């Protein structure tokens, strides 16, 4: 007899996006996001404002996700939510909502690790591509994280490398701020870089042991370069904006790709799975595509809608946890520093 399908409502509120999705098993029926524009004028996320905006957004976003999926809440079989890592106030809004709904509907509650979700988004049903096979090297590149993970099974993940300071997305955003771009600067750097020369300014690559990375030195080198040039030409940034973007982008991408290369060679695993907001970057996509041709890596890049924070990725983890009966507890607190 065919097994009955499960309908899962997933809630994501770890940072500044309030998101809800409905999945039928591993298939996404709806994936809705309310972005918070309020942070732009502050040049970064203001946690207090993020929590308040989540409170205003969460019910309309959930209602929209249910409406698009054409599902009544009584048909749901489980509620999945982000337990961490993230901003504590933001996580509390999503988790409290998820717990209340699971209690009132009397259906299972499933806690999800946001970083696992960034990697497991590749298991969402996709008619164009089969999911990666275990084991693989997972690489999370976002505004808050930069990690290399050995992934042996859905929930058997071991961190093998991390950033010693800033995350790669943070480096994009901080360097962008220095040249007058709005937060988050990553997408704009990407766009301007396409019109610039990536070899115009040579920035030094950090020397970091093992599979760890560091991005703070490159940020300092970039600031020093700007200060030095501006002292001779006050219009330096304006006159060299595209070249500056192309050069910093090339260097940031090189730092992470070198470490992926090192991990690939030492673990002898050639399946590379990328997750997180910076996976949208065209330079990293180009370099990794190149590697898949020249070095026979099997590279998995998320679809654009699953690069930045979204609830569909929380839902796919929820689906696999439900299958393995790994359920959450009502008294489980959120964890801002939840690890793998
Ligand atoms: O995964 P994400 O949405 O949120 C976090 O969990 O951090 O990642 C956001 C980060 C930001 O730092 C943003 O600048 C960066 O992803 N980002 C990009 C691009 N699109 C988003 N960085 C470089 N190039 C892009 N195209
Ligand atoms: Zn994220």
């Amino acid at each position: 007899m065919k097994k009955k399908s499960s309908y899962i409502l997933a809630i994501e509120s770890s940072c500044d996006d309030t998101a809800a999705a409905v999945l039928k098993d591993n298939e996404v029926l709806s994936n809705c996001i309310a972005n918070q524009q309020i942070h732009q004028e502050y040049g970064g996320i203001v946690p207090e404002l993020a929590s308040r905006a989540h409170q205003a957004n969460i019910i309309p976003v959930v209602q929209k996700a249910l409406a698009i999926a054409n599902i009544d809440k009584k048909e749901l079989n489980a509620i999945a939510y982000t337990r961490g890592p993230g901003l504590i106030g933001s996580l509390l809004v999503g988790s409290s909502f998820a717990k209340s709904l699971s209690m009132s509907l009397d259906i299972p509650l499933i806690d999800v690790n946001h970083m696992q979700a960034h990697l497991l988004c590749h298991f969402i049903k996709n008619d164009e591509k089969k999911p990666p096979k275990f084991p693989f090297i997972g690489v999370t590149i976002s505004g808050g994280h930069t990690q290399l993970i050995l992934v042996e099974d859905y929930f058997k993940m071991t961190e093998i490398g991390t950033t010693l300071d800033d995350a790669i997305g943070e480096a994009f955003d901080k360097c962008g701020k220095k040249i007058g771009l709005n937060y988050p600067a990553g997408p704009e750097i990407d766009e301007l870089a396409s019109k610039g020369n990536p070899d115009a300014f040579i920035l030094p690559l950090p020397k970091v042991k093992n599979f760890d990375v560091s991005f703070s030195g490159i940020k300092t080198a970039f600031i020093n370069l700007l200060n030095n040039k501006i002292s001779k030409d006050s219009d330096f940034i304006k006159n060299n904006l595209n070249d500056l973007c192309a050069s910093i982008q090339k260097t940031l991408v090189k730092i992470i790709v070198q470490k992926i290369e090192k991990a690939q060679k030492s673990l002898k695993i050639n399946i590379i799975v990328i997750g997180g907001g910076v996976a949208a970057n065209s330079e990293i996509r180009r370099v990794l595509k190149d590697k898949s041709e020249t070095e026979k890596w099997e590279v998995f890049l998320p679809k654009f809608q699953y690069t930045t924070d979204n609830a569909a990725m929380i839902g796919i983890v929820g689906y696999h946890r439900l299958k393995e009966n790994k359920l959450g507890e009502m008294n489980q607190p959120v964890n801002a520093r939840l690890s793998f």
Side-chain angles (χ1 to χ4, degrees), residues 8-11 21-28 80 110 112 116-126 131 154-155 306 310-323:
I8 298 175
L9 172 69
I11 314 276
V22 176
L23 274 77
K24 179 185 178 190
D25 298 329
N26 64 345
E27 182 186 352
V28 175
I110 306 169
V112 172
Q116 285 186 348
H118 268 305
L119 294 177
L120 296 182
C121 73
H122 292 274
F123 291 84
I124 289 171
K125 188 174 176 220
N126 177 354
Y154 292 109
F155 302 111
Y306 306 137
N310 65 88
M313 68 181 193
I314 304 303
I316 192 67
V317 180
Y319 167 68
H320 285 284
R321 285 185 81 92
L322 189 64
K323 261 183 39 178

Side-chain angles (χ1 to χ4, degrees), residues 183-226:
Y183 175 87
E188 202 177 348
I189 291 186
D190 194 355
E191 199 189 318
L192 297 171
S194 67
K195 296 172 266 180
N197 171 10
D199 299 315
F201 305 104
I202 306 297
L203 295 155
L205 291 169
K207 288 190 178 62
V208 183
K209 284 193 186 135
N210 305 324
F211 304 125
D212 291 333
V213 287
S214 161
F215 293 100
S216 71
I218 197 82
K219 183 189 63 192
T220 310
F222 190 66
I223 295 170
N224 289 344
L225 168 89
L226 294 177

Side-chain angles (χ1 to χ4, degrees), residues 12 14-15 17 85 114-115 118 141-145 275-277 307-310 313:
E12 154 63 29
S14 65
C15 196
D17 295 310
H114 179 89
M115 299 316 293
H118 268 305
I141 41 174
S142 72
H145 292 83
T307 55
T308 47
D309 290 347
N310 65 88
M313 68 181 193

Side-chain angles (χ1 to χ4, degrees), residues 5 14 37 69 91 165 189 198 238 241 250 264 267 275 282 299:
S5 291
S14 65
Q37 303 304 336
L91 291 166
D165 36 63
I189 291 186
K238 203 174 95 203
L241 192 58
K250 182 180 174 178
Q264 187 276 323
L267 299 176
S282 60
V299 176

Side-chain angles (χ1 to χ4, degrees), residues 147-182:
Q147 297 156 303
L148 265 67
I149 314 288
L150 170 62
V151 184
E152 293 169 276
D153 204 344
Y154 292 109
F155 302 111
K156 194 171 177 210
M157 302 195 185
T158 316
E159 185 183 279
I160 55 169
T162 187
T163 176
L164 302 180
D165 36 63
D166 293 348
I168 185 168
E170 202 177 348
F172 268 100
D173 298 336
K174 285 180 175 170
C175 291
K177 195 173 176 181
K178 292 285 165 200
I179 49 174
L181 306 182
N182 284 332

